[in-house]
Amino acid sequence: MNVIWRTLLTIWRAKAKLRRDGILEPTTIGRVSVRTLPTDIDILGHMNNGRYGSLFDLGRFDLLIRTGIWDVFQKQGWYAVVASETITFRKSLELWQRFTVESRLLGHDEKSAYLMHRAVVGGEVYAEMVVRARFLRRTGGIVPHEELFAALHKPDNLPELAPWVIEWAAASALPSTRVPAPSRWA
């Protein structure tokens, strides 16, 4: 529940920055300042590995709002869901430590958009997460990329996906929801 207050504060701040500074380019690196709180810490005294995803959401909200994508999604009745993610840890974040969540759009393929989030302290990466997101309608169904890009006036400067991102997406994919996916261990 405590992340909801941070989320609401992040949304409020991002909307204020949008009004003050205008819309950012989709290729912008978004930055949100965060501090580890007692509710983020595990029994080993550092930030719990499960908390990173929730705090990286703050960066995603900030980036979506400040690039104007959020308003388009609200108007169209669309929303984004995380389809897959991978996180790599390098250093631990300690109690009360300040860090920056950096967020950046990596690109897209025919089904998904890809983002990267980093936890950064003093310019040094502590953790990094790659996210694959899909776009859905509140009324049901997937938003086709053609419709998505038409609504967003797709810019010409969106990056091409790096080969490793394409490989990661293929290697981490689960079967479609339309086919069985039994749990079998080798």
Side-chain angles (χ1 to χ4, degrees), residues 4-186:
I4 191 71
W5 301 116
R6 289 181 185 175
T7 302
L8 293 173
L9 182 61
T10 299
I11 290 170
W12 178 79
R13 285 179 176 162
K15 287 183 175 189
K17 288 178 183 177
L18 176 64
R19 283 190 299 276
R20 185 186 68 224
D21 302 332
I23 292 178
L24 298 177
E25 289 292 318
T27 55
T28 300
I29 297 171
R31 291 179 173 85
V32 176
S33 296
V34 184
R35 181 188 295 264
T36 55
L37 300 178
T39 51
D40 300 328
I41 303 301
D42 64 17
I43 61 171
L44 298 175
H46 59 247
M47 189 153 84
N48 181 286
N49 63 306
R51 182 62 81 184
Y52 283 84
S54 296
L55 296 179
F56 286 162
D57 280 348
L58 303 178
R60 199 157 41 255
F61 280 120
D62 177 74
L63 194 61
L64 288 172
I65 290 167
R66 296 184 64 209
T67 57
I69 295 171
W70 177 272
D71 287 339
V72 172
F73 277 29
Q74 296 298 306
K75 181 179 175 186
Q76 297 290 339
W78 300 339
Y79 62 101
V81 294
V82 172
S84 56
E85 62 189 16
T86 297
I87 188 165
T88 304
F89 302 99
R90 192 172 159 271
K91 284 188 169 185
S92 295
L93 290 167
E94 306 298 328
L95 180 61
W96 305 118
Q97 188 169 11
R98 287 186 183 272
F99 64 100
T100 302
V101 173
E102 294 184 348
S103 303
R104 179 175 171 238
L105 177 66
L106 293 177
H108 66 89
D109 62 18
E110 66 281 347
K111 292 182 178 180
S112 305
Y114 296 83
L115 296 100
M116 182 171 286
H117 299 290
R118 292 177 175 168
V120 178
V121 177
E124 185 177 6
V125 176
Y126 275 48
E128 183 174 82
M129 177 185 272
V130 179
V131 175
R132 182 171 64 96
R134 300 286 307 270
F135 306 101
L136 305 176
R137 299 177 196 283
R138 294 203 184 280
T139 56
I142 296 170
V143 179
H145 272 12
E146 302 79 37
E147 189 176 347
L148 176 72
F149 291 143
L152 294 174
H153 309 291
K154 180 185 173 188
D156 296 331
N157 62 347
L158 287 180
E160 291 291 323
L161 275 180
W164 71 266
V165 177
I166 297 166
E167 292 167 10
W168 166 78
S172 63
L174 289 173
S176 163
T177 57
R178 295 183 185 98
V179 299
S183 176
R184 293 191 191 111
W185 296 92

